[in-house]
Amino acid sequence: MSTLFIPNSINLHKIEEEFTPFNKYKRDKALIVIAAVNTMYPLSNGEFSEYTSVSSDDMRAKGVKDFPLYRKYLMKAGVIYTNGSYSYQKDDRYTRMYKITEKYRYSDCEYVKLTSKSLTKKLKAYEKVSMSQIKLQPFLWSTFKSITIDYEAAHKYAKESNAIKVIEWNKLTNEQKAHEDYKHKHPMYSLNHDIRTIEEINDKRFRFSLGKNSGRLNTQVTNMSKGLRKFLRINGMTLAEVDIKSSQPYLSILLFNEDWYLGNRDNKLGTNRKATFSNCTRHNDMINSDVRDYIETILDGEFYERLMKITGIKDRGEAKLAALTIMFSDNEQSWKHKRLFKKTFPTVVKRFEEIKTSHHRDFAILLQSMESFVMLTRVTNRIANEYPYIKLISIHDSFLCQPEYAKIVQMIMEEELTNFVGVEPITTINLLTNKTK
């Protein structure tokens, strides 16, 4: 029987007594809708979006053809809510955004089994079709078959690490908890996400999706809390992570290379340069001292330290979040740290703003497209052909692998990134272990 991840505070028996269901109502279908709305993934800044897009097409594919009736019923019963906003999907279609209401949103979640054999079959068929649409390289898929997780230790870590977040959360006033800066940081979001990730990996119920614009591969491993990675195993062994230092700033160096705009570099990236860069001025910016300073800072491995010095930020983690805002926020957004960065690197920021003229998301999508092209195409293909015995797990700008092969993965990453960007990156190897000294 299929299982669905549901807040344990939602008692459909009690809700159905209080709110009379419509004709032909099926509890299993209501559970499918609730589970879809309850699907939450962390954002790039570690926070969680309260709203999730749920399409009628997906609901029909899962066996809920009368989704509008269930949506109306669950909203009337105070289980789900929509503010009327929409999310762009594909083929110029938009889907409405929903969330679990505050009454149920902050409770522990648990797996609930479906009793309907026909709906269970529908869900399995839906998952199979979704998987078949992802053109995942067999080499990467073979690694997922070997992945396990230290179940007990991972559960213990998730509960202990999130207990600390609960203590910090309880120190906030009610006004602070409701504020925009805090409301997406409720500790139950991260705890439930961690538990769901652990359970799915343990049961080998892997999910894959490719970013429709960026080409990024998204899995439970890419979406899991960073602290949980040390509990992953391949053939029972702990892993190593090979990472690009300051990956987004590093990839942005290519934007100051004349050959990139002329299409002379052998990158074969599926990006429409004419459309993406139609707002850019001529590209002989390498003569500008601030561009040279920017590139040298990245290649010295001091980008975030330099940003901290420029802005006065004291914490490196906060500096990383600030860099995302500086690079990818709307051009109209005026922010102290952004102004200080622009004062130091005016030509660099000008180039960023030119790329974001049509939409501020264009810049992030461009860099992510570069990253996924190099990592998922060039690096992965080389390792598959030259070292097929290496088990490789993609995490966007890094790979997990067996520790004894980390140096090989690092070498190929550096070679392919250098060929693509034109300058050598700084990469690091980190051995992942949950053993205490």
Side-chain angles (χ1 to χ4, degrees):
M1 291 186 289
S2 287
T3 56
L4 302 169
F5 203 54
I6 305 291
N8 62 12
S9 57
I10 297 178
N11 185 333
L12 282 179
H13 294 274
K14 187 175 180 181
I15 290 171
E16 290 158 6
E17 290 177 359
E18 185 175 354
F19 299 90
T20 304
F22 54 88
N23 189 32
K24 296 185 178 181
Y25 166 91
K26 301 292 183 182
R27 184 175 298 148
D28 276 0
K29 289 186 177 182
L31 287 171
I32 291 173
V33 174
I34 293 169
V37 176
N38 192 48
T39 302
M40 297 175 63
Y41 299 110
L43 305 174
S44 58
N45 60 3
E47 298 179 4
F48 288 78
S49 172
E50 294 180 300
Y51 286 90
T52 303
S53 61
V54 180
S55 73
S56 296
D57 288 344
D58 279 348
M59 287 296 101
R60 280 193 293 271
K62 292 178 179 181
V64 189
K65 295 181 180 180
D66 40 1
F67 170 59
L69 294 177
Y70 285 90
R71 175 181 61 199
K72 183 178 180 181
Y73 174 75
L74 292 171
M75 289 178 64
K76 181 181 178 181
V79 178
I80 67 173
Y81 169 81
T82 180
N83 62 357
S85 62
Y86 288 82
S87 171
Y88 177 77
Q89 297 300 306
K90 57 184 178 180
D91 302 326
D92 293 325
R93 291 189 300 172
Y94 293 81
T95 59
R96 188 174 292 181
M97 305 291 286
Y98 301 88
K99 69 177 180 180
I100 302 294
T101 59
E102 189 169 345
K103 181 178 180 180
Y104 304 106
R105 193 162 64 240
Y106 303 129
S107 64
D108 290 328
C109 292
E110 62 185 8
Y111 279 97
V112 176
K113 292 182 178 180
L114 292 181
T115 58
S116 168
K117 291 183 178 179
S118 61
L119 284 174
T120 297
K121 187 175 180 180
K122 277 278 188 182
L123 277 180
K124 288 183 177 179
Y126 172 82
E127 292 169 358
K128 187 175 181 179
V129 170
S130 297
M131 284 288 291
S132 67
Q133 293 173 347
I134 303 301
K135 296 179 180 180
L136 185 65
Q137 191 186 82
F139 176 66
L140 290 176
W141 171 237
S142 67
T143 298
F144 276 87
K145 294 179 181 179
S146 305
I147 295 176
T148 58
I149 191 166
D150 188 337
Y151 184 81
E152 297 297 334
H155 261 282
K156 181 180 178 182
Y157 171 85
K159 291 175 181 177
E160 290 178 351
S161 62
N162 284 289
I164 296 173
K165 296 178 183 178
V166 170
I167 293 172
E168 295 301 317
W169 177 263
N170 289 334
K171 292 179 182 178
L172 301 176
T173 65
N174 290 334
E175 288 185 358
Q176 287 176 317
K177 291 176 182 177
H179 193 273
E180 191 69 27
D181 291 340
Y182 291 98
K183 69 178 184 179
H184 302 305
K185 298 180 181 180
H186 196 287
M188 290 310 302
Y189 292 162
S190 56
L191 175 59
N192 285 326
H193 175 71
D194 286 348
I195 297 301
R196 177 178 180 172
T197 300
I198 294 166
E199 294 291 339
E200 289 180 342
I201 292 177
N202 189 61
D203 294 341
K204 293 191 177 297
R205 288 183 285 132
F206 294 109
R207 289 177 281 101
F208 304 94
S209 67
L210 285 175
K212 55 182 178 292
N213 294 314
S214 68
R216 272 184 158 186
L217 174 64
N218 300 301
T219 67
Q220 283 100 331
V221 178
T222 62
N223 288 325
M224 76 191 315
S225 301
K226 192 171 183 179
L228 284 177
R229 294 177 190 170
K230 59 180 174 282
F231 301 101
L232 292 174
R233 304 286 184 268
I234 291 180
N235 297 328
M237 304 299 291
T238 56
L239 307 177
E241 181 171 9
V242 188
D243 182 54
I244 309 169
K245 190 169 184 180
S246 307
S247 62
Q248 300 292 302
Y250 165 75
L251 290 169
S252 75
I253 292 174
L254 187 54
L255 304 178
F256 301 95
N257 188 316
E258 178 78 8
D259 286 346
W260 165 259
Y261 299 91
L262 298 177
N264 294 333
R265 292 194 64 78
D266 180 27
N267 51 63
K268 298 179 182 177
L269 179 65
T271 301
N272 186 335
R273 289 187 188 80
K274 185 175 181 181
T276 305
F277 303 112
S278 60
N279 296 302
C280 294
T281 54
R282 282 314 331 143
H283 314 296
N284 57 348
D285 294 332
M286 288 297 290
I287 62 173
N288 293 349
S289 61
D290 71 295
V291 173
R292 293 197 301 271
D293 185 17
Y294 174 74
I295 294 173
E296 289 170 2
T297 299
I298 294 168
L299 299 183
D300 287 341
E302 299 294 326
F303 177 75
Y304 294 116
E305 288 72 17
R306 181 72 181 280
L307 181 58
M308 292 167 68
K309 185 176 181 180
I310 292 170
T311 60
I313 294 173
K314 303 298 182 184
D315 179 72
R316 197 171 190 275
E318 185 181 342
K320 286 187 175 184
L321 296 179
L324 295 177
T325 303
I326 290 168
M327 296 177 73
F328 304 134
S329 62
D330 191 283
N331 289 342
E332 302 301 318
Q333 184 179 8
S334 180
W335 185 48
K336 177 186 174 183
H337 295 156
K338 192 175 182 180
R339 293 194 300 270
L340 292 170
F341 185 84
K342 186 174 184 177
K343 185 177 180 180
T344 304
F345 302 112
T347 313
V348 172
V349 173
K350 180 183 179 184
R351 174 54 38 81
F352 295 170
E353 290 178 345
E354 287 172 340
I355 294 173
K356 295 186 290 183
T357 299
S358 297
H359 201 291
H360 72 276
R361 293 197 192 97
D362 290 346
F363 188 24
I365 291 171
L366 173 64
L367 294 185
Q368 290 169 3
S369 298
M370 293 177 178
E371 167 206 279
S372 61
F373 171 75
V374 178
M375 301 293 274
L376 294 179
T377 303
R378 288 192 163 188
V379 175
T380 300
N381 283 344
R382 269 196 63 186
I383 293 175
N385 291 328
E386 299 174 21
Y387 305 94
Y389 47 84
I390 294 179
K391 299 294 186 181
L392 206 62
I393 305 173
S394 166
I395 312 184
H396 302 322
D397 60 358
S398 68
F399 285 110
L400 300 184
C401 64
Q402 306 103 307
E404 60 268 32
Y405 302 125
K407 286 286 186 182
I408 295 175
V409 174
Q410 182 183 42
M411 176 192 69
I412 294 177
M413 280 175 58
E414 290 178 350
E415 289 177 357
E416 293 302 330
L417 285 163
T418 300
N419 289 336
F420 182 77
V421 178
V423 291
E424 187 175 345
I426 296 177
T427 61
T428 60
I429 295 176
N430 180 32
L431 299 179
L432 304 181
T433 176
N434 59 317
K435 294 181 180 179
T436 56
K437 295 182 179 180

